[in-house]
Structures are given as C-alpha cells and as structure tokens.
Amino acid sequence: MFDKVDQRVSFPALEVELMKQWKAEGTFQKSLELREGRPRFVFYEGPPTANGKPATHHILARAFKDLFGRYKTMKGFYVERKAGWDTHGLPVEIEVEKKLKISGKFAIENEIGVERFNELCRQSVYEYVEDWVAFSERMAFWQDYENAYWTLNSDYIQSVWWAVSEMWKQNLVYKGFRVAPYCSRCATPLSSHELALGYRDNVPDPSVYVRFRLKKDPTTSILAWTTTPWTLPGNVALAVDADIDYIKVKEGDEYLILAEARLTVLKEPPQVVERMKGRDLIGLEYEPLYPYSVPEQGRAQYVVDADFVSINEGTGVVHTSALYGVDDLRLCQEKGIPFKHTVGLDGKFLPYVDKFAGLHVKEADPVIIDDLKARGLLYRAETILHTYPECWRCHTPLIYYALDAWYIRTTERKAELIANNDATNWVPAHIKTGRMGDWLENNVDWQFSRSRYWGTPVPIWVCDGCDEQRCISSAAEIGLKDDADLHRPYIDAVTLPCEKCGGVMHRVPEVMDTWFDSGSMPFAQRAYPREGKAIFEQTFPADFISEAVDQTRGWFYTLLAISTLVFKENSYRNVICLGHVVDPTGKKSSKSRGNVLDPNYLFDTFGSDAVRWYFFTSTQVGESYRTSDAVLKEAVQQFFIPLWNCYSFFVTYARLDSFDPAQPQVPVAERHVLDRWLLSKLSGLTGAVTGGLDTYDAVEPARRIQRFVDDLSNWYIRRSRRRFWKSQSDRDKLAAYQTLYEALTTVSRLMAPFTPFVADAIYRNLGEGSSVHLADFPEPAPVQDAQVENDMARARQGVEVGLAARDAARLKVRQPLAGIELPGDPLPEEIAAIVRDELNVKSLTFGAPEVKLDTVITEELKLEGLAREVVRAINDRRKKVGLNVEDRIDTRYEADGMLARAMERHAAYIRAETLSVTLAPGREDGFDGEQLMLEGEQIWIGIKRHQ
C-alpha cells in the first residue's frame, strides 16, 4: 500500500527530511558499494577555496557535476566522488590581511612575520569547510569528504614538486626578466591566465598627447599618445613603423610630426609642410621629458623602428618605456637601449624620481599631466573609458612591470597543447576552437612564480657562489621526512651543498602560482608518483569535468598544460563549460551591487531541486543564467507542482482501489489508445534522455522530461480521469493504473540525476521504500508506436483549432454542439472519440478546407450544457467543504425552468460525475448549500457526505 500524499507539499521541508533519511541509511555509501568493481567513470572535482562561504553560482557547477555522477552511477559505473580543497594563494592571504587589518608585504614581514602569517593562513582555509559540506549536502551534491585531497598537505606539495622537476628535466623551466601583469598591492606578478580572470569595464583613464621636441629643431615635436602618463618619466625611445606614411604639419608657431592616417587627433585643420616615411624618422634624437631615464652610458631618447606600431589609435608613434610594456622591453633589448626602473615594487616612484617620489603610479598620473602642461609639452589631455585589468583577488588595478620571475616554456609545446585540446569534447562545442582555441593560439610562457608567502614553494635551489641551479622533486631528496611542513619559512632554512663548486645552495624565495596546485590534482590527489600509481593509472584522464567559462583560462588551462607537458595528453576527455549566474538585468552577481542571492534562502524558499532544475532548463549551456525569485517560483509552478499533482492523483486512487503493481500486466496492445500513446512517448523519452546525457547534453533531456510531464498532466490524466473514477474495477481501469504507475516510476528514475530529492520521494513511495539512487537508469521499452503518436499529435492539433473556433464564436466548451468539420485526413475512431469529447461535439468529420462549427443549439443540447454547468458547480462545492476525492455524497437542489429539466433529464450523468449517491429536488436539513446563478437562472445546491 502506498503512503498518503500531501497535495500541499513543501518541497524544502521534503528535502530536509530526505537528507536525514539518506544520512541514516548511508545511501551515498551504498550507491558506491553497489557499483564497486564495475567499470569506472572518472570525474575530477575542481577544488574550491574553503576560506569563503559558498554562493549561488556554486550551485550551478555543482548541479552539473552531480548530474553526470548520478547518471553514470545509475548506468552501472563506479563513480568515485573524491572531494578536494584548494588551500593556497592570494585568496587566502588577502582574507588573513583583512582580519589582521594590515595590507602589503612590509606589514606581513615586519609586523606579523612569515611564520605567524602562514599559520593564520593555514587556519583560515578550514574556517568554512563545514559550511561547504552542509551546502553540498543541502543541494544533494554527494562527495567523499572523508578522503578529500588538500593542496596544503605534504604529499600533495611533493607531487607538485615532482611535476616541476619533470618539466625541469625537459629544459622547460627558466628564470626570465620579463614584463608581466603586476599587482602593486600584493607585490607579485600574475600569469597570463590569471590576468584573464580580472577585468573591469568602463574604467576612466587619462588619454594624453605629448610633444617630444627634436634636439636639432626645438620648434618641431614628434607627437605621441599614451593612456599611462606614469610611464613617461621612464621614456627611453619613440617607435615608428618604417613603412607608414608620416607628415609634418604647421600649427601656429610650431611643427608636429605624426602618422598621416591620424590627422583627426589634431586641434586644427592640418597645414602639411612635409611628407615622409617612418624610415626617414629613424635615428632622430629628441629632448628627454625628464632626466631620470637618461643613461650614463649608451644611447636613448631617439626614434627607432618597430613592428607593433598601429595607426588604428593614437598618433602612429609609440612612446616607449622599456620596463612597463612587453613590446617596449623586447624592443629596447633588441636595440641595446639602456633602461632602469623609475617605479618600485610597491607601485610608487623611487626616491631618485624626485618630482614624483613616493606617489603611487595612479596617483601620479594627474600630477605628471599638470607638470607637462606647465612646461608646454602637453598637446591634448582627455579622459577615456575602457576595459582595464585588475587583480582578480584584491581588485587593485594592475600595471605591467619588468622583473625576474620563473617561467615554464609552454610556447615550446604549443602544437601539443592545441592537438590535445582538439581531441577533447567541449560543451558547448564552439569553446574548443573559440575561447580556448584562441587562448592556446596566442599562448605565452607560463609565469608560475609568486613573490608571496602562503603557497607551494618553488622547488629550486641556487648556489650562492656559482649560481648553479637545482630542482628537487621530493622531501626525501633534501633530507626531510614525508610529513614535514614544506611551507615557508621552514623550507627556506633548508640548504643544500652545491655539487659543482662545494658552496651553499639556498631555495629561491618565491612560491608557486596556486593554479599550478589545482592543475596538478589528477596526480597530486594520489600522492603520485611516490604512492598511488595503480589508482592514478585507473583514473587518468578524467571522463568529465565542469566549471564556469572563466576557467578556460584558469583550471581548464592549467590541467591541460601540466598534463600535456608531463604526460603528453590532456587530463580530461569531456568538459562542460558553463555561463555565469547573473541578476535579472544581466549584471553579474556581486556583494557591491547588492544583487547576490543567498543560496540558503533559495533552498529554504524554493528547494534545491527547483534551483537545479532552473539551471538545467532555462538556457543553453554557456549562456548566462538570469536568476531571481520569479524564475525559481515559475520552475516550481510549471514543473514540480504539476508533477506532484500527477503523483498525488495516482496515489489517491490507487489507495482507494488497493492497486497492486505486482498484478499481471494487461498486454500493451490490448490497452486503451491513451495508454499506448503514453507508453510510446515514455519509451521515446527514455531513449532521448539517455542519448542526450551520453553526449553531455543536460538541457534538452531536462526539457523533454518537462514536456512529458505536461503531456502526462494535461492530456493523459485529464483524458483518463473517468477511468480512475469509475466504481467498477475492470480490465481498463487496471490498464490505466499500470500505465500511470509505469510512467511515474520511470520518470522518477529519469529525473533522479537532475532532481535527486523529488525523484527519490516519488520512487520510494511507489516502490518498496528503497532509494531511487540505488536503482538502475531505465532502458527504452519496445513499445514505441510512431503511428499512434502521430495520430495523437494530429488529434491535439485538431482540438487546438476547434477550441479556437469555439472561442471565436463565444461558445463555452461545456455547451455541447451538434458537430464540427476539420481539415485533414480522418483519424482512427478511438482517437476521433477523444477529439469529439474534447470539443464537446456530437459529430466530427474530416476533409473540410477549414474549420466549420455547427453553432445551432437545440433545446436538447442546451439542457445537456446546463447539466455540465451543474456538475461543475457541485464539484466546486465539494472542494469548498473539504471533501476527499473519493467521498460519496448526497445532493439536493432547488431549481425551476430549464435548469430543473436539465437536472431531471441528465440525473444519471450528474450523479456519476459528482459521486452523488442520491440526487433529489428540495431542501433538507444537514445539507451544506448555497444559492447560485447558472446561465441566467437561480439554483440552490446542497451536499453532504453520504453515510
């Protein structure tokens, strides 16, 4: 016997109860044990940083991850759900700085100390672990937290070291003096993929045009443009393109030189006095704007040729300060132009730059502009709005800054990176050759060192005497135990003897890019290669990973890069690349905008299944998810409530009739056409959902399930109600029960990976109490009947156009009509009968050129229509007084005229449709009644439960 179903269900409360039940029963563990020893489906968890609370956008990725883990488990695979924690890097350090109310490296080193600071960082990463675990459980994202990997553990760090040492052996690791994106607050460079994680739109910046006066003719200036005035004190050259056309124009008492294509930047219509090629300008010397970058030896402040000069903006002349631009440094190194820093690692001008000493570069911009203006060197100044990079964690505007750092030669393996990416299945497909492909085509060497504290130490030691370098791969190699704390400052105290000169080797001070940690997880989570060789080989590469689109230049890239360089292949075969969660206006959710939705509020208000379902059905993968209360409420109302109503309807009548699913099945071929149609649709749905999930498409399978539930509710059950209502338990009634039971149990299994809670609640009650998550995924039944499906689709189209014709004629559907003519070929009688009943007509003919209604209403038709109105009124009364659907009633009425005749003529029909045991005229005591107006006539209707 099925348990009674509360039609007014609270989905959040239902979910909380099922969570408790899963925990008590050990359902997750059982699902693993059930598949142990079966073929593996390998999923990698992208590790979150646990020093901050989870947010709504974390539901998105975790929903997709959980979906495919559950699906493959139900398909018979063993799916390990190993959790992981990303514990290093700037995100952690910045949070600790905030708590300590300090900022910057000076305070860390001199006020707190590296040892204490790193200990606080270690403590910080555990702060919200319980919140993350509770969050994951609340949204039914099952993971093995007891055996989670932690990137701060010695085992993990040694695996990362091993990977670096493998690259070192291939001569892929080097120290280089290069210009890199640099955060002056964090005092560390960033890699190119980190740069892609932080941009701000519509940032105001100065746009200035500056006169560089020629030494041989101070009345003539070369005009150059920049949006970084702070780099002007470091100017050492002006770059032109040798083949571009340049002109000299007269403006007042001065002459200006710029590209002919950029005349629009001038204040006045040009008076051209001379034309020349860029090569004619090469070698011209100009007066330094400032004395700070004038070399003591060597030559600077002259015009050079370059291959990066553009005529799409500016003046066609590029101001060059060697240390603050990638092209600038390369050019100056090629030309042998001397240079030195004017700005320190803190982003402030050095003391010898006396005019601006101590000013941060962004603070110095307006001061420099005013200075140039006062000296007559500023030609034009304005403000532009553009997209500008910022530190992805502390949000400080980045600068480009030349410094020593450690690099990995990813460019040397560019072809392999592209080939491995091409062999990977991307969803959506365009990401492979688009965002990811473009990134790889323009790949630059990976700057993987950070001038920070809390991170995996760079495993390179350098000799104090002869500069010999050594890269180590394990703790044992440097005389430490496996469980030693390998972080700074302890690792900094480890010295090694130099095998070349006998001197002392010290570790370089940098730590590693935290993205190297997360990109190493396929092998580092196993402590490979020191341990776990067998399990690593079984679980590499992954069958599936998923994160948001920004990870194309984050985790997706570092996984690909490390595995390509170390193992010659990608570490994942399939990847779902998700869009972002945004507010209803399309703006990305952020605390500063006040548009962040608290995930616990969403779970408590709508249920986590509803949030998951919205993410699966609302838009195509890769697009943004405009999330709000309204769309989640819609998901509940349009899918979950109709589904629950179908389930409640079945259980209500199945309990009344003591339906037993184990009864012998009525052969499908002998069932009502509605049953055959529904089972055919169900088989097609099962095949489509399976096919979609097998190709990592979650959206169309979910939408097909939703369309099926709509068909189930609004067509099958609505058209079949009388089969369940009727008192006799005949073969047709049994077939209806068996059909609806199969539909609900199959749908619950199809839904289980998508909506784990609701699916389990339905399946448990309809089955023998076991969880749907221990069941197998359904297989399509061999009952598909394309002809029945096609005929039923034509029938529903006919109903649609017929109802539109009735509506146009302003004739209620409850009013029977003599007939209707419809276009198209005739339908089989068993389906034509459904159309007649839906349109409430006595006759139905096909082949008409257009829809034609017989609108003549005879007295007999009018009486029948009134009887239908009475049925509706009595059933409304049943609901108002709170009767159960199975309750039999006694009915009394008081009416005159046509209403009275309708009651008499169609008494049997009224009794059957309202479960009235007695139907008689006159008022009696004990009847709950009301006076109504039906079709312009008065009627009193009273009912009571039959005793």
Side-chain angles (χ1 to χ4, degrees):
M1 178 63 72
F2 311 113
D3 290 338
K4 188 175 181 180
V5 175
D6 184 356
Q7 196 166 357
R8 302 181 67 179
V9 63
S10 164
F11 292 113
L14 175 81
E15 292 176 355
V16 171
E17 286 305 309
L18 274 169
M19 278 174 55
K20 295 175 183 176
Q21 197 165 356
W22 288 343
K23 190 167 285 187
E25 295 175 358
T27 309
F28 172 38
Q29 191 58 38
K30 284 181 182 177
S31 73
L32 293 174
E33 293 169 356
L34 195 63
R35 308 299 186 189
E36 204 157 2
R38 302 292 299 276
R40 284 179 177 269
F41 175 81
V42 181
F43 154 71
Y44 289 161
E45 163 66 337
T49 305
N51 74 320
K53 290 187 176 182
T56 298
H57 67 272
H58 292 111
I59 305 174
L60 171 62
R62 294 186 157 223
F64 276 81
K65 294 173 189 180
D66 187 66
L67 163 64
F68 288 95
R70 289 183 184 277
Y71 169 66
K72 289 296 184 178
T73 297
M74 293 181 75
K75 291 293 282 186
F77 291 88
Y78 178 73
V79 186
E80 182 187 28
R81 311 284 188 88
K82 191 177 182 70
W85 301 106
D86 200 0
T87 59
H88 286 146
L90 274 173
V92 182
E93 291 194 27
I94 290 170
E95 284 303 310
V96 172
E97 287 185 57
K98 287 178 181 176
K99 288 178 181 176
L100 293 173
K101 297 182 179 178
I102 62 171
S103 180
K105 296 177 72 172
F106 180 87
I108 292 171
E109 294 182 5
N110 296 283
E111 297 175 19
I112 306 300
V114 174
E115 183 176 21
R116 175 64 178 151
F117 182 75
N118 273 1
E119 178 55 35
L120 291 172
C121 288
R122 179 186 290 274
Q123 294 172 15
S124 169
V125 299
Y126 294 99
E127 185 171 351
Y128 295 110
V129 166
E130 290 184 4
D131 294 79
W132 277 91
V133 173
F135 165 80
S136 298
E137 290 177 348
R138 184 61 188 83
M139 64 163 290
F141 179 39
W142 284 354
Q143 283 199 293
D144 181 3
Y145 288 104
E146 290 184 9
N147 298 296
Y149 66 87
W150 295 77
T151 62
L152 57 74
N153 286 347
S154 175
D155 281 345
Y156 198 99
I157 290 173
Q158 291 181 74
S159 292
V160 174
W161 282 358
W162 171 80
V164 177
S165 72
E166 289 297 297
M167 297 176 193
W168 180 273
K169 292 173 187 175
Q170 301 173 60
N171 196 31
L172 295 175
V173 180
Y174 68 95
K175 188 176 186 179
F177 183 74
R178 291 190 170 193
V179 172
Y182 182 83
C183 176
S184 57
R185 195 218 71 85
C186 299
T188 189
L190 283 75
S191 63
S192 55
H193 53 263
E194 284 181 300
L195 176 68
L197 297 175
Y199 277 93
R200 180 168 299 196
D201 294 327
N202 298 317
V203 175
D205 256 335
S207 169
V208 298
Y209 296 82
V210 180
R211 298 178 176 95
F212 290 81
R213 289 181 175 146
L214 297 182
K215 281 187 176 181
K216 68 175 185 179
D217 180 9
T219 64
T220 300
S221 299
I222 297 176
L223 202 60
W225 171 75
T226 183
T227 58
T228 54
W230 65 268
T231 61
L232 290 170
N235 172 268
V236 291
L238 294 175
V240 298
D241 188 306
D243 297 320
I244 287 178
D245 293 320
Y246 289 82
I247 56 171
K248 181 178 180 180
V249 300
K250 187 174 189 300
E251 226 181 59
D253 295 331
E254 69 172 334
Y255 296 89
L256 302 172
I257 296 174
L258 71 162
E260 186 170 10
R262 301 302 301 162
L263 291 177
T264 54
V265 306
L266 296 173
K267 297 176 185 176
E268 302 174 3
Q271 297 180 40
V272 179
V273 297
E274 187 179 350
R275 283 185 165 82
M276 64 208 78
K277 288 288 187 181
R279 64 176 59 90
D280 301 322
L281 300 172
I282 295 171
L284 285 178
E285 295 184 343
Y286 57 88
E287 296 288 345
L289 293 183
Y290 294 98
Y292 312 120
S293 55
V294 177
E296 294 180 8
Q297 293 182 336
R299 186 184 179 208
Q301 284 84 40
Y302 66 100
V303 179
V304 297
D305 61 305
D307 58 7
F308 54 79
V309 177
S310 169
I311 55 173
N312 295 324
E313 59 184 1
T315 65
V317 179
V318 177
H319 137 66
T320 303
S321 56
L323 297 166
Y324 310 114
V326 175
D327 290 328
D328 302 47
L329 180 60
R330 176 174 58 85
L331 179 66
C332 291
Q333 288 173 330
E334 289 173 359
K335 302 295 182 182
I337 299 173
F339 46 78
K340 61 179 179 179
H341 271 298
T342 53
V343 174
L345 291 170
D346 58 358
K348 297 178 181 179
F349 278 97
L350 294 167
Y352 84 91
V353 188
D354 51 8
K355 270 196 174 184
F356 315 112
L359 285 178
H360 190 273
V361 292
K362 288 297 182 181
E363 297 171 338
D365 276 345
V367 181
I368 292 170
I369 292 170
D370 289 344
D371 179 69
L372 293 172
K373 184 177 182 181
R375 293 162 55 204
L377 297 176
L378 183 70
Y379 179 74
R380 272 179 61 187
E382 53 203 19
T383 299
I384 60 169
L385 295 177
H386 62 163
T387 300
Y388 195 85
E390 63 180 17
C391 178
W392 65 289
R393 281 305 182 185
C394 75
H395 306 297
T396 299
L398 297 178
I399 60 176
Y400 280 83
Y401 194 91
L403 73 170
D404 285 321
W406 292 93
Y407 290 85
I408 297 170
R409 287 191 177 91
T410 51
T411 51
E412 191 170 300
R413 301 293 167 84
K414 175 180 170 181
E416 291 94 325
L417 288 168
I418 291 172
N420 287 339
N421 179 61
D422 287 345
T424 302
N425 176 44
W426 282 83
V427 179
H430 66 81
I431 300 288
K432 176 194 291 190
T433 54
R435 185 180 175 93
M436 189 66 168
D438 291 344
W439 176 250
L440 296 176
E441 284 290 347
N442 297 288
N443 184 258
V444 297
D445 285 352
W446 182 354
Q447 196 277 94
F448 76 100
S449 61
R450 299 289 176 271
S451 304
R452 296 297 300 186
Y453 311 98
W454 179 242
T456 297
V458 173
I460 298 171
W461 272 251
V462 179
C463 179
D464 297 342
C466 68
D467 291 332
E468 176 73 1
Q469 297 175 350
R470 178 180 169 187
C471 181
I472 63 97
S473 62
S474 69
E477 193 177 336
I478 53 176
L480 297 178
K481 294 182 178 180
D482 267 356
D483 60 353
D485 188 341
L486 302 179
H487 292 94
R488 298 188 66 190
Y490 314 113
I491 195 69
D492 298 337
V494 176
T495 60
L496 302 176
C498 178
E499 296 177 357
K500 184 176 181 182
C501 74
V504 178
M505 304 185 89
H506 285 89
R507 195 191 70 83
V508 298
E510 293 89 353
V511 295
M512 292 177 61
D513 179 0
T514 188
W515 291 100
F516 201 108
D517 283 358
S518 56
S520 300
M521 60 77 53
F523 54 92
Q525 67 175 331
R526 312 293 181 188
Y528 181 90
R530 294 162 36 261
E531 299 174 16
K533 288 187 178 181
I535 185 68
F536 168 68
E537 289 168 2
Q538 294 171 28
T539 57
F540 180 88
D543 293 299
F544 166 67
I545 62 171
S546 179
E547 295 291 346
V549 67
D550 50 359
Q551 296 300 329
T552 49
R553 296 168 187 184
W555 191 51
F556 297 158
Y557 171 69
T558 59
L559 282 172
L560 170 66
I562 294 171
S563 60
T564 296
L565 270 55
V566 176
F567 301 105
K568 315 301 182 191
E569 62 178 311
N570 197 358
S571 57
Y572 51 92
R573 295 188 177 103
N574 301 279
V575 52
I576 293 181
C577 194
L578 299 162
H580 287 125
V581 176
V582 298
D583 71 9
T585 66
K587 291 179 181 176
K588 198 171 178 181
S589 300
S590 69
K591 291 179 182 177
S592 60
R593 289 196 181 105
N595 61 353
V596 174
L597 287 170
D598 175 16
N600 290 316
Y601 162 76
L602 299 181
F603 295 156
D604 294 344
T605 307
F606 307 103
S608 70
D609 274 358
V611 185
R612 290 170 62 123
W613 192 251
Y614 168 72
F615 285 143
F616 293 138
T617 58
S618 61
T619 190
Q620 290 297 329
V621 166
E623 301 297 321
S624 294
Y625 299 86
R626 298 190 175 216
T627 310
S628 65
D629 281 27
V631 296
L632 295 174
K633 184 178 180 181
E634 190 175 275
V636 174
Q637 292 176 335
Q638 293 189 356
F639 178 66
F640 290 97
I641 289 176
L643 171 67
W644 196 263
N645 286 343
C646 292
Y647 163 58
S648 173
F649 173 87
F650 170 81
V651 170
T652 298
Y653 287 99
R655 282 168 57 88
L656 283 175
D657 289 326
S658 300
F659 168 67
D660 181 2
Q663 287 177 266
Q665 294 283 307
V666 177
V668 172
E670 298 174 17
R671 298 189 194 185
H672 191 283
V673 68
L674 280 166
D675 298 339
R676 304 199 310 273
W677 167 78
L678 187 71
L679 293 175
S680 179
K681 294 280 284 187
L682 182 64
S683 179
L685 173 69
T686 303
V689 172
T690 302
L693 294 181
D694 281 345
T695 57
Y696 296 92
D697 176 11
V699 176
E700 185 54 29
R703 289 177 174 177
R704 287 191 68 138
I705 292 172
Q706 182 150 344
R707 291 196 293 270
F708 180 85
V709 169
D710 183 68
D711 285 342
L712 181 67
S713 172
N714 292 322
W715 191 251
Y716 178 79
I717 289 180
R718 191 170 60 78
R719 291 301 319 153
S720 301
R721 282 184 185 276
R722 291 188 183 92
R723 301 169 66 199
F724 293 94
W725 286 347
K726 59 187 178 184
S727 55
Q728 65 271 33
S729 295
D730 58 13
R731 187 175 171 84
D732 177 62
K733 190 175 194 178
L734 177 61
Y737 274 125
Q738 289 175 341
T739 300
L740 185 50
Y741 176 81
E742 184 174 348
L744 288 169
T745 55
T746 302
V747 166
S748 67
R749 285 188 290 155
L750 291 174
M751 286 174 54
F754 297 90
T755 57
F757 289 111
V758 171
D760 203 32
I762 294 173
Y763 187 83
R764 280 176 183 270
N765 194 26
L766 298 184
E768 297 176 356
S770 65
S771 173
V772 73
H773 304 299
L774 304 179
D776 290 337
F777 205 73
E779 298 288 340
V783 293
Q784 282 193 263
D785 190 329
Q787 187 61 54
V788 166
E789 288 192 43
N790 183 58
D791 287 343
M792 195 67 77
R794 287 178 51 220
R796 296 179 75 175
Q797 287 176 333
V799 168
E800 186 178 340
V801 297
L803 290 175
R806 290 192 67 124
D807 188 58
R810 297 189 177 183
L811 291 168
K812 290 181 179 180
V813 179
R814 282 189 292 274
Q815 174 58 61
L817 297 176
I820 189 171
E821 297 178 23
L822 293 174
D825 297 329
L827 288 167
E829 173 52 30
E830 59 185 347
I831 294 180
I834 296 172
V835 177
R836 286 196 300 271
D837 196 50
E838 276 288 296
L839 295 178
N840 198 8
V841 296
K842 301 301 180 184
S843 70
L844 168 65
T845 56
F846 290 93
E850 58 184 19
V851 181
K852 184 177 180 182
L853 274 174
D854 184 344
T855 58
V856 176
I857 300 174
T858 64
E859 180 176 320
E860 184 56 39
L861 291 173
K862 178 67 174 176
L863 292 175
E864 186 178 339
L866 288 172
R868 287 174 177 259
E869 294 288 351
V870 170
V871 166
R872 181 187 62 82
I874 294 173
N875 284 331
D876 284 349
R877 191 72 197 148
R878 287 178 61 102
K879 291 177 185 176
K880 286 181 182 177
V881 300
L883 293 173
N884 297 319
V885 293
E886 72 273 15
D887 287 341
R888 304 286 164 171
I889 61 171
D890 294 307
T891 302
R892 298 293 179 265
Y893 67 90
E894 196 173 72
D896 295 317
M898 292 195 74
L899 267 176
R901 284 161 40 214
M903 300 284 285
E904 294 167 6
R905 182 80 57 89
H906 296 285
Y909 164 77
I910 295 170
R911 286 197 301 271
E913 291 293 313
T914 61
L915 298 186
S916 294
V917 177
T918 60
L919 174 68
R923 301 193 186 207
E924 293 183 21
D925 293 339
F927 283 78
D928 193 322
E930 64 179 333
Q931 191 78 21
L932 300 169
M933 178 75 74
L934 293 182
E935 297 297 303
E937 295 189 28
Q938 291 284 337
I939 184 172
W940 178 87
I941 295 175
I943 63 173
K944 70 175 182 179
R945 185 181 282 106
H946 179 72
Q947 302 298 323

